[in-house]
Amino acid sequence: MAETQKGILGWVERSGNKLPDPVFIFFYLIGLLILVSVFTSLAGYSALHPTQVDESGAPVVITAASLLSPDNIRRLWVDMPATFTHFHPLGYVLLVMLGAGVAERSGLFASAMRQAVRNAPKFLLTPVVVVVAMLGHLAADAGYVVLIPLAGVLYAAAGRHPIAGIAAGFAGVSGGFGANFVPGQLDALLFGITETAAETIDPSWDANIAGNWYFIVGMALLFLPLIWWLTDAVIEPRLKRFSPPDDAPMANIGDSNAPLAPEQRKGLGRAGLAAVIVCALWGAFLFMPGTPLIDEEAATPQGRLTPFYQSLVAFFFILFFVCGWAYGAAAGTVKNHREAVKLMAAAMGDMSYYLVLAFAASHFVAMFEWSNLGLIVAVQGSDAIEASNLSLPVLLVLIVVFSAIVNLFVGSASAKWALMSPVLVPMMMLLGVSPEMTTAAYRVGDSTTNIITPLMTYFPLVLTFCQRWRADFGLGSLTAMMIPFSMWLTIAGIALTFAWVFLDLPLGPGAVVDYQLPAQTTAPAPVQ
């Protein structure tokens, strides 16, 4: 462990360990925000509103508001329940997790991952592990707890180095954290926060959790061959020659390498049938008489599909819930509706820390909005960037790099985005960049440095998995092994972000790179 006290990695570990819990980071920032709001209010800090004009047609002046003013003090204490419960990500995440909790605890996610990886031909073992790892994000912690140790076992069984399998699984689950083939919990979480920030500029902007769908698929398709090449050509050849020990660590991992039981295979079949039925049901909502998920009166094709995009949170809740129950009923893990309810309740229990974090984050975001500082900084920041003549692809690349650096110290994706989005999203909207594109750039940086920081929650767990196969494998060994993945994934993510903006590709259904400010509206009174 002495290695962790030396060099840059030692500094990262020591510095990060000194940081308080993210909940208290928000509380400290609220205290700082109050002081800043008082001073900026006294100094007359202001900017011109980008979309609102007064009755004479002149732009509305936005002035910094003191959070110690009587109105804001009253708002803080009177509106505290509403501030918390109306926090956009809260409803999105809890709803998706109600369904995902059933799918995870019934055993569906674990069985699906085991079946997918076990059936992989030897030469395709690495890409299959990586694909399943990326899809494992839908299963919350199951990707870390189930897939990563299972990958080590399967590599050993195939005559390959088990730690190389652990590296591939870790790189896919955590290094490719923002990449996937379908939207899921992370999309609901991030776009809920994005919506709050975007409404500062455009109150009519609604989140679409499929707004990064094409982009995250692009990330997955780019990261997949890169992790495959790094694992097979760079990492595995550099590992010490492996000889299976007499006390094989398979015993410590349990029966992860055992074939699925007949009832588990039957459960997977039932879950697949349930998935087809749910997808067909949502398709019917698009084409049945009355078209409940299409706004026939909307002027644009994107507007017509707005109800469908907004329904995707409910879609994933129903999909996970029905598939989990179908699997559990066949596999014997969910015997009746009471057990299904218990699984949902257990999922909410796991969200207890997130609820505490959301309480702190919701008040920081709300008070930042009350102070008007976010909008003023965004307006003045966009003016300064516009004067610097930096291209939009370069600006988004800088967001990727900044997010990657912050990720070394603050692991929570929601905590970082709640801190950064109130300034970044409005600022980029004023520069003509959509909230979806800014979110996409953030999630690239939020992914690629997870695998090299000891502050990542599951980093010690992955180290333990490695030590099952090699007792002298230390923290420095794991970090050094994962640095090539982090470096190349960051470079690839930056290149993807640059190319996406340069080619002006759609980010998801109804989501584009560019953004156009809404028409100017008359404000009833200047913003205080």
mmCIF file of all heavy atoms in Angstrom, residues 111-155:
data_model
loop_
_atom_site.group_PDB
_atom_site.id
_atom_site.type_symbol
_atom_site.label_atom_id
_atom_site.label_comp_id
_atom_site.label_asym_id
_atom_site.label_seq_id
_atom_site.Cartn_x
_atom_site.Cartn_y
_atom_site.Cartn_z
ATOM 1 N N SER A 111 -28.924 -13.491 -14.384
ATOM 2 C CA SER A 111 -29.026 -14.665 -15.265
ATOM 3 C C SER A 111 -28.780 -14.295 -16.718
ATOM 4 O O SER A 111 -28.119 -15.033 -17.456
ATOM 5 C CB SER A 111 -30.402 -15.315 -15.109
ATOM 6 O OG SER A 111 -30.564 -15.859 -13.824
ATOM 7 N N ALA A 112 -29.317 -13.150 -17.152
ATOM 8 C CA ALA A 112 -29.123 -12.722 -18.536
ATOM 9 C C ALA A 112 -27.644 -12.474 -18.821
ATOM 10 O O ALA A 112 -27.125 -12.864 -19.885
ATOM 11 C CB ALA A 112 -29.942 -11.467 -18.811
ATOM 12 N N MET A 113 -26.934 -11.837 -17.882
ATOM 13 C CA MET A 113 -25.505 -11.588 -18.084
ATOM 14 C C MET A 113 -24.710 -12.886 -18.106
ATOM 15 O O MET A 113 -23.824 -13.083 -18.938
ATOM 16 C CB MET A 113 -24.979 -10.645 -16.995
ATOM 17 C CG MET A 113 -25.399 -9.194 -17.188
ATOM 18 S SD MET A 113 -24.546 -8.045 -16.077
ATOM 19 C CE MET A 113 -25.383 -8.409 -14.543
ATOM 20 N N ARG A 114 -25.015 -13.770 -17.178
ATOM 21 C CA ARG A 114 -24.299 -15.052 -17.138
ATOM 22 C C ARG A 114 -24.520 -15.837 -18.424
ATOM 23 O O ARG A 114 -23.574 -16.385 -18.998
ATOM 24 C CB ARG A 114 -24.774 -15.868 -15.946
ATOM 25 C CG ARG A 114 -24.228 -15.411 -14.611
ATOM 26 C CD ARG A 114 -24.821 -16.216 -13.471
ATOM 27 N NE ARG A 114 -24.654 -17.641 -13.658
ATOM 28 C CZ ARG A 114 -25.306 -18.572 -12.957
ATOM 29 N NH1 ARG A 114 -26.184 -18.205 -12.050
ATOM 30 N NH2 ARG A 114 -25.089 -19.845 -13.181
ATOM 31 N N GLN A 115 -25.756 -15.898 -18.886
ATOM 32 C CA GLN A 115 -26.065 -16.673 -20.083
ATOM 33 C C GLN A 115 -25.368 -16.081 -21.299
ATOM 34 O O GLN A 115 -24.815 -16.811 -22.136
ATOM 35 C CB GLN A 115 -27.580 -16.702 -20.305
ATOM 36 C CG GLN A 115 -28.026 -17.563 -21.480
ATOM 37 C CD GLN A 115 -27.872 -19.060 -21.202
ATOM 38 O OE1 GLN A 115 -27.397 -19.441 -20.133
ATOM 39 N NE2 GLN A 115 -28.253 -19.880 -22.165
ATOM 40 N N ALA A 116 -25.374 -14.756 -21.407
ATOM 41 C CA ALA A 116 -24.762 -14.112 -22.569
ATOM 42 C C ALA A 116 -23.265 -14.350 -22.607
ATOM 43 O O ALA A 116 -22.689 -14.640 -23.662
ATOM 44 C CB ALA A 116 -25.061 -12.613 -22.542
ATOM 45 N N VAL A 117 -22.596 -14.245 -21.458
ATOM 46 C CA VAL A 117 -21.142 -14.385 -21.435
ATOM 47 C C VAL A 117 -20.714 -15.842 -21.556
ATOM 48 O O VAL A 117 -19.742 -16.168 -22.234
ATOM 49 C CB VAL A 117 -20.578 -13.754 -20.140
ATOM 50 C CG1 VAL A 117 -19.082 -13.978 -20.034
ATOM 51 C CG2 VAL A 117 -20.881 -12.260 -20.120
ATOM 52 N N ARG A 118 -21.448 -16.745 -20.920
ATOM 53 C CA ARG A 118 -21.067 -18.168 -20.942
ATOM 54 C C ARG A 118 -21.103 -18.748 -22.345
ATOM 55 O O ARG A 118 -20.310 -19.615 -22.681
ATOM 56 C CB ARG A 118 -22.021 -18.981 -20.049
ATOM 57 C CG ARG A 118 -21.657 -19.004 -18.581
ATOM 58 C CD ARG A 118 -22.607 -19.935 -17.834
ATOM 59 N NE ARG A 118 -22.715 -21.226 -18.497
ATOM 60 C CZ ARG A 118 -21.814 -22.195 -18.380
ATOM 61 N NH1 ARG A 118 -20.764 -22.035 -17.627
ATOM 62 N NH2 ARG A 118 -21.986 -23.343 -19.015
ATOM 63 N N ASN A 119 -22.021 -18.294 -23.166
ATOM 64 C CA ASN A 119 -22.181 -18.860 -24.504
ATOM 65 C C ASN A 119 -21.239 -18.263 -25.532
ATOM 66 O O ASN A 119 -21.305 -18.608 -26.705
ATOM 67 C CB ASN A 119 -23.631 -18.663 -24.979
ATOM 68 C CG ASN A 119 -24.594 -19.545 -24.203
ATOM 69 O OD1 ASN A 119 -24.193 -20.536 -23.611
ATOM 70 N ND2 ASN A 119 -25.873 -19.180 -24.202
ATOM 71 N N ALA A 120 -20.377 -17.363 -25.119
ATOM 72 C CA ALA A 120 -19.488 -16.688 -26.071
ATOM 73 C C ALA A 120 -18.378 -17.629 -26.532
ATOM 74 O O ALA A 120 -17.737 -18.293 -25.718
ATOM 75 C CB ALA A 120 -18.867 -15.453 -25.424
ATOM 76 N N PRO A 121 -18.125 -17.709 -27.862
ATOM 77 C CA PRO A 121 -16.953 -18.444 -28.344
ATOM 78 C C PRO A 121 -15.670 -17.839 -27.767
ATOM 79 O O PRO A 121 -15.634 -16.654 -27.445
ATOM 80 C CB PRO A 121 -17.020 -18.251 -29.871
ATOM 81 C CG PRO A 121 -18.427 -17.855 -30.150
ATOM 82 C CD PRO A 121 -18.915 -17.128 -28.946
ATOM 83 N N LYS A 122 -14.620 -18.663 -27.648
ATOM 84 C CA LYS A 122 -13.392 -18.229 -26.981
ATOM 85 C C LYS A 122 -12.818 -16.957 -27.608
ATOM 86 O O LYS A 122 -12.411 -16.030 -26.910
ATOM 87 C CB LYS A 122 -12.364 -19.353 -27.025
ATOM 88 C CG LYS A 122 -11.097 -19.059 -26.246
ATOM 89 C CD LYS A 122 -10.176 -20.266 -26.243
ATOM 90 C CE LYS A 122 -8.881 -19.971 -25.485
ATOM 91 N NZ LYS A 122 -7.979 -21.157 -25.455
ATOM 92 N N PHE A 123 -12.797 -16.868 -28.950
ATOM 93 C CA PHE A 123 -12.180 -15.717 -29.602
ATOM 94 C C PHE A 123 -13.055 -14.462 -29.504
ATOM 95 O O PHE A 123 -12.579 -13.348 -29.733
ATOM 96 C CB PHE A 123 -11.874 -16.025 -31.070
ATOM 97 C CG PHE A 123 -13.088 -16.050 -31.969
ATOM 98 C CD1 PHE A 123 -13.420 -14.950 -32.759
ATOM 99 C CD2 PHE A 123 -13.884 -17.174 -32.038
ATOM 100 C CE1 PHE A 123 -14.533 -14.976 -33.585
ATOM 101 C CE2 PHE A 123 -14.992 -17.211 -32.863
ATOM 102 C CZ PHE A 123 -15.321 -16.104 -33.635
ATOM 103 N N LEU A 124 -14.337 -14.645 -29.143
ATOM 104 C CA LEU A 124 -15.229 -13.498 -28.976
ATOM 105 C C LEU A 124 -15.500 -13.199 -27.498
ATOM 106 O O LEU A 124 -16.374 -12.390 -27.195
ATOM 107 C CB LEU A 124 -16.567 -13.764 -29.686
ATOM 108 C CG LEU A 124 -16.550 -13.762 -31.218
ATOM 109 C CD1 LEU A 124 -17.937 -14.080 -31.759
ATOM 110 C CD2 LEU A 124 -16.076 -12.418 -31.754
ATOM 111 N N LEU A 125 -14.730 -13.828 -26.610
ATOM 112 C CA LEU A 125 -15.002 -13.675 -25.187
ATOM 113 C C LEU A 125 -14.900 -12.220 -24.739
ATOM 114 O O LEU A 125 -15.775 -11.703 -24.035
ATOM 115 C CB LEU A 125 -14.036 -14.541 -24.379
ATOM 116 C CG LEU A 125 -14.289 -14.620 -22.873
ATOM 117 C CD1 LEU A 125 -15.700 -15.084 -22.575
ATOM 118 C CD2 LEU A 125 -13.266 -15.541 -22.210
ATOM 119 N N THR A 126 -13.846 -11.523 -25.168
ATOM 120 C CA THR A 126 -13.662 -10.134 -24.733
ATOM 121 C C THR A 126 -14.792 -9.221 -25.219
ATOM 122 O O THR A 126 -15.381 -8.496 -24.406
ATOM 123 C CB THR A 126 -12.300 -9.599 -25.188
ATOM 124 O OG1 THR A 126 -11.264 -10.392 -24.612
ATOM 125 C CG2 THR A 126 -12.114 -8.146 -24.763
ATOM 126 N N PRO A 127 -15.116 -9.199 -26.527
ATOM 127 C CA PRO A 127 -16.190 -8.287 -26.947
ATOM 128 C C PRO A 127 -17.538 -8.616 -26.311
ATOM 129 O O PRO A 127 -18.317 -7.706 -26.012
ATOM 130 C CB PRO A 127 -16.230 -8.450 -28.475
ATOM 131 C CG PRO A 127 -15.549 -9.724 -28.750
ATOM 132 C CD PRO A 127 -14.515 -9.883 -27.685
ATOM 133 N N VAL A 128 -17.821 -9.891 -26.078
ATOM 134 C CA VAL A 128 -19.093 -10.240 -25.440
ATOM 135 C C VAL A 128 -19.117 -9.738 -24.004
ATOM 136 O O VAL A 128 -20.127 -9.190 -23.536
ATOM 137 C CB VAL A 128 -19.331 -11.764 -25.503
ATOM 138 C CG1 VAL A 128 -20.528 -12.152 -24.637
ATOM 139 C CG2 VAL A 128 -19.557 -12.207 -26.938
ATOM 140 N N VAL A 129 -17.995 -9.900 -23.284
ATOM 141 C CA VAL A 129 -17.913 -9.384 -21.915
ATOM 142 C C VAL A 129 -18.147 -7.874 -21.901
ATOM 143 O O VAL A 129 -18.876 -7.345 -21.058
ATOM 144 C CB VAL A 129 -16.546 -9.724 -21.287
ATOM 145 C CG1 VAL A 129 -16.286 -8.888 -20.036
ATOM 146 C CG2 VAL A 129 -16.477 -11.203 -20.937
ATOM 147 N N VAL A 130 -17.538 -7.163 -22.850
ATOM 148 C CA VAL A 130 -17.658 -5.704 -22.876
ATOM 149 C C VAL A 130 -19.089 -5.278 -23.204
ATOM 150 O O VAL A 130 -19.638 -4.360 -22.569
ATOM 151 C CB VAL A 130 -16.669 -5.100 -23.889
ATOM 152 C CG1 VAL A 130 -16.864 -3.586 -23.994
ATOM 153 C CG2 VAL A 130 -15.233 -5.414 -23.485
ATOM 154 N N VAL A 131 -19.717 -5.927 -24.175
ATOM 155 C CA VAL A 131 -21.094 -5.586 -24.533
ATOM 156 C C VAL A 131 -22.032 -5.824 -23.356
ATOM 157 O O VAL A 131 -22.867 -4.974 -23.011
ATOM 158 C CB VAL A 131 -21.554 -6.395 -25.765
ATOM 159 C CG1 VAL A 131 -23.063 -6.249 -25.962
ATOM 160 C CG2 VAL A 131 -20.825 -5.926 -27.009
ATOM 161 N N VAL A 132 -21.892 -6.986 -22.719
ATOM 162 C CA VAL A 132 -22.753 -7.291 -21.578
ATOM 163 C C VAL A 132 -22.474 -6.319 -20.434
ATOM 164 O O VAL A 132 -23.385 -5.913 -19.705
ATOM 165 C CB VAL A 132 -22.550 -8.752 -21.124
ATOM 166 C CG1 VAL A 132 -23.365 -9.042 -19.872
ATOM 167 C CG2 VAL A 132 -22.948 -9.708 -22.242
ATOM 168 N N ALA A 133 -21.205 -5.911 -20.272
ATOM 169 C CA ALA A 133 -20.856 -4.951 -19.229
ATOM 170 C C ALA A 133 -21.549 -3.618 -19.458
ATOM 171 O O ALA A 133 -22.061 -2.994 -18.521
ATOM 172 C CB ALA A 133 -19.343 -4.758 -19.182
ATOM 173 N N MET A 134 -21.567 -3.150 -20.703
ATOM 174 C CA MET A 134 -22.243 -1.891 -21.005
ATOM 175 C C MET A 134 -23.749 -2.003 -20.767
ATOM 176 O O MET A 134 -24.375 -1.107 -20.199
ATOM 177 C CB MET A 134 -21.956 -1.474 -22.444
ATOM 178 C CG MET A 134 -20.504 -1.056 -22.685
ATOM 179 S SD MET A 134 -20.188 -0.651 -24.410
ATOM 180 C CE MET A 134 -18.452 -0.189 -24.339
ATOM 181 N N LEU A 135 -24.332 -3.114 -21.188
ATOM 182 C CA LEU A 135 -25.753 -3.322 -20.934
ATOM 183 C C LEU A 135 -26.033 -3.494 -19.445
ATOM 184 O O LEU A 135 -27.143 -3.247 -18.975
ATOM 185 C CB LEU A 135 -26.251 -4.549 -21.703
ATOM 186 C CG LEU A 135 -26.356 -4.387 -23.215
ATOM 187 C CD1 LEU A 135 -26.619 -5.732 -23.880
ATOM 188 C CD2 LEU A 135 -27.458 -3.399 -23.578
ATOM 189 N N GLY A 136 -24.994 -3.883 -18.704
ATOM 190 C CA GLY A 136 -25.145 -4.078 -17.275
ATOM 191 C C GLY A 136 -25.477 -2.812 -16.516
ATOM 192 O O GLY A 136 -25.909 -2.875 -15.365
ATOM 193 N N HIS A 137 -25.290 -1.634 -17.153
ATOM 194 C CA HIS A 137 -25.674 -0.382 -16.490
ATOM 195 C C HIS A 137 -27.160 -0.370 -16.164
ATOM 196 O O HIS A 137 -27.593 0.280 -15.202
ATOM 197 C CB HIS A 137 -25.377 0.828 -17.393
ATOM 198 C CG HIS A 137 -23.941 0.921 -17.797
ATOM 199 N ND1 HIS A 137 -23.537 1.609 -18.909
ATOM 200 C CD2 HIS A 137 -22.819 0.409 -17.248
ATOM 201 C CE1 HIS A 137 -22.227 1.509 -19.018
ATOM 202 N NE2 HIS A 137 -21.778 0.783 -18.030
ATOM 203 N N LEU A 138 -27.942 -1.089 -16.954
ATOM 204 C CA LEU A 138 -29.377 -1.144 -16.700
ATOM 205 C C LEU A 138 -29.674 -1.876 -15.403
ATOM 206 O O LEU A 138 -30.751 -1.725 -14.839
ATOM 207 C CB LEU A 138 -30.093 -1.850 -17.861
ATOM 208 C CG LEU A 138 -29.906 -1.231 -19.256
ATOM 209 C CD1 LEU A 138 -30.554 -2.112 -20.309
ATOM 210 C CD2 LEU A 138 -30.482 0.176 -19.300
ATOM 211 N N ALA A 139 -28.707 -2.652 -14.930
ATOM 212 C CA ALA A 139 -28.903 -3.464 -13.733
ATOM 213 C C ALA A 139 -28.284 -2.838 -12.497
ATOM 214 O O ALA A 139 -28.020 -3.531 -11.520
ATOM 215 C CB ALA A 139 -28.308 -4.848 -13.962
ATOM 216 N N ALA A 140 -28.046 -1.536 -12.542
ATOM 217 C CA ALA A 140 -27.469 -0.823 -11.391
ATOM 218 C C ALA A 140 -26.142 -1.469 -10.990
ATOM 219 O O ALA A 140 -25.210 -1.493 -11.777
ATOM 220 C CB ALA A 140 -28.455 -0.783 -10.243
ATOM 221 N N ASP A 141 -26.047 -2.043 -9.781
ATOM 222 C CA ASP A 141 -24.779 -2.555 -9.271
ATOM 223 C C ASP A 141 -24.446 -3.957 -9.758
ATOM 224 O O ASP A 141 -23.336 -4.444 -9.512
ATOM 225 C CB ASP A 141 -24.811 -2.576 -7.741
ATOM 226 C CG ASP A 141 -24.994 -1.187 -7.156
ATOM 227 O OD1 ASP A 141 -24.680 -0.215 -7.857
ATOM 228 O OD2 ASP A 141 -25.459 -1.085 -6.007
ATOM 229 N N ALA A 142 -25.369 -4.615 -10.432
ATOM 230 C CA ALA A 142 -25.150 -6.013 -10.817
ATOM 231 C C ALA A 142 -23.971 -6.168 -11.762
ATOM 232 O O ALA A 142 -23.286 -7.199 -11.745
ATOM 233 C CB ALA A 142 -26.413 -6.588 -11.449
ATOM 234 N N GLY A 143 -23.707 -5.168 -12.596
ATOM 235 C CA GLY A 143 -22.572 -5.254 -13.506
ATOM 236 C C GLY A 143 -21.267 -5.394 -12.756
ATOM 237 O O GLY A 143 -20.374 -6.169 -13.148
ATOM 238 N N TYR A 144 -21.115 -4.641 -11.669
ATOM 239 C CA TYR A 144 -19.907 -4.716 -10.859
ATOM 240 C C TYR A 144 -19.855 -6.016 -10.061
ATOM 241 O O TYR A 144 -18.832 -6.705 -10.015
ATOM 242 C CB TYR A 144 -19.842 -3.542 -9.879
ATOM 243 C CG TYR A 144 -19.623 -2.198 -10.528
ATOM 244 C CD1 TYR A 144 -20.692 -1.331 -10.770
ATOM 245 C CD2 TYR A 144 -18.345 -1.773 -10.892
ATOM 246 C CE1 TYR A 144 -20.493 -0.096 -11.352
ATOM 247 C CE2 TYR A 144 -18.138 -0.532 -11.472
ATOM 248 C CZ TYR A 144 -19.216 0.305 -11.706
ATOM 249 O OH TYR A 144 -19.024 1.529 -12.279
ATOM 250 N N VAL A 145 -20.960 -6.351 -9.421
ATOM 251 C CA VAL A 145 -20.969 -7.439 -8.448
ATOM 252 C C VAL A 145 -21.016 -8.808 -9.127
ATOM 253 O O VAL A 145 -20.426 -9.776 -8.630
ATOM 254 C CB VAL A 145 -22.165 -7.272 -7.487
ATOM 255 C CG1 VAL A 145 -22.234 -8.427 -6.500
ATOM 256 C CG2 VAL A 145 -22.046 -5.951 -6.735
ATOM 257 N N VAL A 146 -21.691 -8.909 -10.274
ATOM 258 C CA VAL A 146 -21.869 -10.195 -10.940
ATOM 259 C C VAL A 146 -20.902 -10.367 -12.101
ATOM 260 O O VAL A 146 -20.154 -11.355 -12.175
ATOM 261 C CB VAL A 146 -23.325 -10.354 -11.440
ATOM 262 C CG1 VAL A 146 -23.470 -11.649 -12.236
ATOM 263 C CG2 VAL A 146 -24.290 -10.330 -10.275
ATOM 264 N N LEU A 147 -20.900 -9.412 -13.029
ATOM 265 C CA LEU A 147 -20.183 -9.622 -14.280
ATOM 266 C C LEU A 147 -18.669 -9.612 -14.113
ATOM 267 O O LEU A 147 -17.966 -10.445 -14.687
ATOM 268 C CB LEU A 147 -20.597 -8.569 -15.307
ATOM 269 C CG LEU A 147 -19.853 -8.719 -16.640
ATOM 270 C CD1 LEU A 147 -20.258 -9.995 -17.341
ATOM 271 C CD2 LEU A 147 -20.089 -7.531 -17.541
ATOM 272 N N ILE A 148 -18.121 -8.658 -13.356
ATOM 273 C CA ILE A 148 -16.660 -8.520 -13.282
ATOM 274 C C ILE A 148 -16.001 -9.773 -12.708
ATOM 275 O O ILE A 148 -15.060 -10.314 -13.317
ATOM 276 C CB ILE A 148 -16.277 -7.251 -12.503
ATOM 277 C CG1 ILE A 148 -16.715 -6.013 -13.301
ATOM 278 C CG2 ILE A 148 -14.779 -7.207 -12.234
ATOM 279 C CD1 ILE A 148 -16.434 -4.691 -12.606
ATOM 280 N N PRO A 149 -16.445 -10.309 -11.559
ATOM 281 C CA PRO A 149 -15.820 -11.561 -11.092
ATOM 282 C C PRO A 149 -16.102 -12.741 -12.015
ATOM 283 O O PRO A 149 -15.249 -13.618 -12.189
ATOM 284 C CB PRO A 149 -16.439 -11.772 -9.710
ATOM 285 C CG PRO A 149 -17.707 -10.994 -9.720
ATOM 286 C CD PRO A 149 -17.441 -9.808 -10.608
ATOM 287 N N LEU A 150 -17.301 -12.751 -12.635
ATOM 288 C CA LEU A 150 -17.640 -13.828 -13.565
ATOM 289 C C LEU A 150 -16.699 -13.810 -14.765
ATOM 290 O O LEU A 150 -16.268 -14.864 -15.251
ATOM 291 C CB LEU A 150 -19.091 -13.685 -14.019
ATOM 292 C CG LEU A 150 -19.570 -14.664 -15.097
ATOM 293 C CD1 LEU A 150 -19.448 -16.097 -14.614
ATOM 294 C CD2 LEU A 150 -21.011 -14.353 -15.481
ATOM 295 N N ALA A 151 -16.331 -12.623 -15.239
ATOM 296 C CA ALA A 151 -15.416 -12.519 -16.372
ATOM 297 C C ALA A 151 -14.069 -13.146 -16.034
ATOM 298 O O ALA A 151 -13.455 -13.836 -16.865
ATOM 299 C CB ALA A 151 -15.230 -11.049 -16.765
ATOM 300 N N GLY A 152 -13.586 -12.946 -14.794
ATOM 301 C CA GLY A 152 -12.334 -13.566 -14.392
ATOM 302 C C GLY A 152 -12.415 -15.079 -14.429
ATOM 303 O O GLY A 152 -11.505 -15.763 -14.906
ATOM 304 N N VAL A 153 -13.520 -15.631 -13.934
ATOM 305 C CA VAL A 153 -13.709 -17.078 -13.932
ATOM 306 C C VAL A 153 -13.732 -17.630 -15.346
ATOM 307 O O VAL A 153 -13.101 -18.656 -15.659
ATOM 308 C CB VAL A 153 -15.021 -17.431 -13.188
ATOM 309 C CG1 VAL A 153 -15.336 -18.914 -13.330
ATOM 310 C CG2 VAL A 153 -14.923 -17.053 -11.723
ATOM 311 N N LEU A 154 -14.459 -16.960 -16.242
ATOM 312 C CA LEU A 154 -14.604 -17.441 -17.614
ATOM 313 C C LEU A 154 -13.283 -17.370 -18.379
ATOM 314 O O LEU A 154 -12.980 -18.250 -19.185
ATOM 315 C CB LEU A 154 -15.684 -16.638 -18.328
ATOM 316 C CG LEU A 154 -17.108 -16.858 -17.804
ATOM 317 C CD1 LEU A 154 -18.090 -15.921 -18.468
ATOM 318 C CD2 LEU A 154 -17.539 -18.308 -18.033
ATOM 319 N N TYR A 155 -12.498 -16.323 -18.142
ATOM 320 C CA TYR A 155 -11.191 -16.236 -18.795
ATOM 321 C C TYR A 155 -10.292 -17.377 -18.317
ATOM 322 O O TYR A 155 -9.561 -17.987 -19.111
ATOM 323 C CB TYR A 155 -10.535 -14.886 -18.505
ATOM 324 C CG TYR A 155 -10.859 -13.811 -19.515
ATOM 325 C CD1 TYR A 155 -12.176 -13.403 -19.708
ATOM 326 C CD2 TYR A 155 -9.870 -13.205 -20.279
ATOM 327 C CE1 TYR A 155 -12.498 -12.413 -20.622
ATOM 328 C CE2 TYR A 155 -10.172 -12.218 -21.204
ATOM 329 C CZ TYR A 155 -11.490 -11.828 -21.367
ATOM 330 O OH TYR A 155 -11.799 -10.856 -22.291
#
